[in-house]
Amino acid sequence: MRGLLVGRFQPFHAGHLGTVRRLRTEASDEELIVAIGSAEQSYTWENPFTASERFEMIARALAEASIDGVLVVPVADIHRHALWVRYLEGLLPEFGRVYTNNPLTRLLFEKSGYRVERPPLLDRTHLEGRKLRELLASGRPLGNRVPRSVARYLAEIDAAGRLALLRGAATARSGTRRR
Amino acid sequence: MRGLLVGRFQPFHAGHLGTVRRLRTEASDEELIVAIGSAEQSYTWENPFTASERFEMIARALAEASIDGVLVVPVADIHRHALWVRYLEGLLPEFGRVYTNNPLTRLLFEKSGYRVERPPLLDRTHLEGRKLRELLASGRPLGNRVPRSVARYLAEIDAAGRLALLRGAATARSGTRRR
Amino acid sequence: MRGLLVGRFQPFHAGHLGTVRRLRTEASDEELIVAIGSAEQSYTWENPFTASERFEMIARALAEASIDGVLVVPVADIHRHALWVRYLEGLLPEFGRVYTNNPLTRLLFEKSGYRVERPPLLDRTHLEGRKLRELLASGRPLGNRVPRSVARYLAEIDAAGRLALLRGAATARSGTRRR
Amino acid sequence: MRGLLVGRFQPFHAGHLGTVRRLRTEASDEELIVAIGSAEQSYTWENPFTASERFEMIARALAEASIDGVLVVPVADIHRHALWVRYLEGLLPEFGRVYTNNPLTRLLFEKSGYRVERPPLLDRTHLEGRKLRELLASGRPLGNRVPRSVARYLAEIDAAGRLALLRGAATARSGTRRR
Amino acid sequence: MRGLLVGRFQPFHAGHLGTVRRLRTEASDEELIVAIGSAEQSYTWENPFTASERFEMIARALAEASIDGVLVVPVADIHRHALWVRYLEGLLPEFGRVYTNNPLTRLLFEKSGYRVERPPLLDRTHLEGRKLRELLASGRPLGNRVPRSVARYLAEIDAAGRLALLRGAATARSGTRRR
Amino acid sequence: MRGLLVGRFQPFHAGHLGTVRRLRTEASDEELIVAIGSAEQSYTWENPFTASERFEMIARALAEASIDGVLVVPVADIHRHALWVRYLEGLLPEFGRVYTNNPLTRLLFEKSGYRVERPPLLDRTHLEGRKLRELLASGRPLGNRVPRSVARYLAEIDAAGRLALLRGAATARSGTRRR
């Protein structure tokens, strides 16, 4: 039975890759579905990269690390939590196990009877994604926080320029709202 | 002519019940429509309960209090304020009087020519809903702030566990945004 | 446990009323939910009446027949069959039994584990709705095919005029498409 | 007070232009709003041209005919007839008079209290639009059925090629459905 | 080739008018499209006025200033940044030049190959809009920050009352969220 | 550069498989994206299978045939032809070549500058899908028209029962409309 790992991957980083490698090693006869959440979002501070770009990062990182048996699927938001699990069941190939650290995701899947596990190596993914966006926006190096192929791709698409601009826009808007 | 009371009822509490009882007593020959707003929302800190759960709370509270003549109707958001009154007119059975403390609701209905009144006993509903969600999230008792049947139902569906989790998620996200 | 009867009720007719009466009599301790499907549709040949008007018809017919214990709920289409049962579960108060003659509705509910029964007296509802729309469009009397209160309401809102117009529009458009 | 003329303008033809000229002449102190309906539709047999292309046709035809005082506004469908008039009121600048031959449009506006008139010269617009699409799809000349500037524009964007292709697709699909 | 100026115009103020006048003067043979963004929004603190009201303000201000050659088009949000430029291309008549100070708008248009320029006189438009909403909400005079015809229109529709109310609602909601 | 094959795969049949095999053989260093169109549709006569089920069919058929280098991606409809290519570009990993027999798909991609080719062995795919649905609905064997693994999967999910039911529903509805 396939496993399912859901994330936004803004960007796809070394923690994600380590988790995917571990899951594929521990259960090598079991494919892993990597669902790219909020696929319709892009060019915002929280979701700077399109699903296409995130798919590309994941594909390159998996190729670099010679990991196979992974199905990458972009998934648009449905904005109705009560329908979300059912929505994924209708979209993805069959899966039997869910890996997540997100408490809401855990709750929704458990209510639907799924076995939910904490993914290895991924305790602070959410914070790591934000940290990486901030490093990019500040023009600082990401070091080994992302796979090499991802670092090259981020340079190709000038991620640093985009993030700096989006951080500025988010700050301006937030300032407006604070009033 | 029926009256209309709009709310989100997250959860349905004693203030809501008192208001409904009073309206049904003062105008006993006039049915009351209770519209459950933001019906499509659930599993968020602001809107933790599904429309189904909120409908269930209201149905149980009305049965417990032996109140009849109430039509409960879940209403999804339309996200276009300029169309909202027209949208309700096309969805609900005829009504002639609107009860609300929400100033925007009042403005929109008055622009459409409705008579709008402040509901009795319900001056601080919005605050009360938030207060109750916070009590639930902290695992503290609600006392007589909710009807008994609602308290039992909230225990049945483990509302306290859900609210604790959702408060955590909302705080994490808000922290992200503050950055 | 409540029962659920789903229909479009374009218009609500004597067959519907007979079914509701029977269900309320046979299981008088069990409320019946009457869900008005395609609630967002109106002013088309297939769906001429708004949810508001259909709600009004049902409310008047139930009052005329002194039937209580019925919860009327307008339900907008979700346009995703795979999510439909889950969508209703999140919107309506709890139900345990479903009454339908529609084979797709039956299939979807049975796949979700519901007990589905054929409603009494309602074998040809779909045909009856169309027949009534055609009678209205032709300005012919409906006789006892609809409850008296519904007949009066249809006269009040000039249903005959509306249906004649909508039939004309549907025919014109269908002609266009045939090309 | 402005007048409002609603159409899909697939394509904008000589009948439309004649009507606009007449309305601008008869009420020269009154601007005319030309609303391009189904603005989000394109590349279908019924709606082959984008709103952008239809806007362009109208702009060129008005310039060619030296007609001013016309406000052209693309309007996306809202798919809820009961809200349609209110939707237009929130989108368009104030108008007080509506020109239409479409009986449903007439009904909806009259229910909202508008004065509705039949536009001059435009009795068979709907048929004319279809006729022109068929001529284009067959590669036959449109003659003076469209303004010269529109004919040139249709040639520029290879409307004939597009229509031939879309007619083929519509026929194939209709055949599928007939089964 | 037409120019395109995108804004929300909440409200349309003297800075907007000065920009439009300048652009029409500098390139008098080139029409200017003024796109009213977030057209579906209204009755919120950030977007208090309907597209209809904003269109009306712009039409009156242009008439007062005797500026012609401007095409005003309301444009609803599409909520997918990656599609936004393509969406505008399908909706608006052809344009070849874009005027904006918004860095995200600039980025998206430049990625699509457009020439983007900073509009004259409009460096702080965003701040000016907020400032004007705050003045209105506080009942203070706008002075010459808006064209006279706009000031009169804002008085006609009681903009001050609406803004005071919306500021109150936004503050209450923001307070809720801060918790 | 990857190739892209778009289809609805209702169901995935031997013609599809042959095409995929050929494309993977001819360009073995080039991954192939198989996009499952109308992913949100299911339980209709035209689109009987969920995206999940179609994904499963394709995954099993590729495994049975030992074909790798294929990325399967469900893609929901966007219902705006003018945005469709841009939408796919934002969702899928980079691709440079498109395989299709659908003339509209060809037109839209060519307008966006793509190289479009006819897929080998797939001249009558659309007809084949309909033919297979009809065989299923009639309870007749599919023979070697589908890969063995797909035949087994269709039996597992009782595709024949579902199709028989959906054909009945489609016929009933079509009869209604004909009136």
Side-chain angles (χ1 to χ4, degrees), chain D residues 2 39 50-52 55-56 59-60 71-74 89-94 153, chain E residues 2 39 50-52 55-56 59-60 71-74 89-94 153:
Chain D
R2 297 183 191 95
T50 66
S52 171
F55 202 136
E56 196 69 37
R60 294 185 184 195
L71 306 174
V72 182
V73 185
E89 290 172 338
L91 203 59
L92 304 174
E94 289 169 29
Y153 183 70
Chain E
R2 295 182 191 97
T50 65
S52 172
F55 203 137
E56 196 70 38
R60 294 187 184 194
L71 307 173
V72 182
V73 185
E89 289 172 340
L91 202 59
L92 304 174
E94 288 169 30
Y153 182 69

Side-chain angles (χ1 to χ4, degrees), chain F residues 55-66:
Chain F
F55 202 136
E56 196 69 37
M57 288 181 219
I58 298 171
R60 294 186 184 195
L62 295 179
E64 181 189 12
S66 300

Side-chain angles (χ1 to χ4, degrees), chain D residues 40-117:
Chain D
E40 83 285 6
Q41 299 275 337
S42 65
Y43 289 91
T44 68
W45 172 244
E46 294 283 321
N47 288 294
F49 304 113
T50 66
S52 171
E53 291 166 334
R54 293 177 265 163
F55 202 136
E56 196 69 37
M57 287 180 218
I58 298 172
R60 294 185 184 195
L62 296 179
E64 181 188 11
S66 299
I67 297 172
D68 61 6
V70 176
L71 306 174
V72 182
V73 185
V75 175
D77 286 333
I78 188 172
H79 298 295
R80 294 187 172 228
H81 287 160
L83 300 184
W84 193 65
V85 170
R86 194 82 196 78
Y87 166 67
L88 290 178
E89 290 172 338
L91 203 59
L92 304 174
E94 289 169 29
F95 56 91
R97 189 188 305 245
V98 177
Y99 301 99
T100 186
N101 279 315
N102 181 297
L104 177 57
T105 301
R106 167 180 293 272
L107 176 66
L108 294 173
F109 273 106
E110 285 181 346
K111 279 187 95 77
S112 292
Y114 281 87
R115 179 165 158 210
V116 179
E117 300 176 24

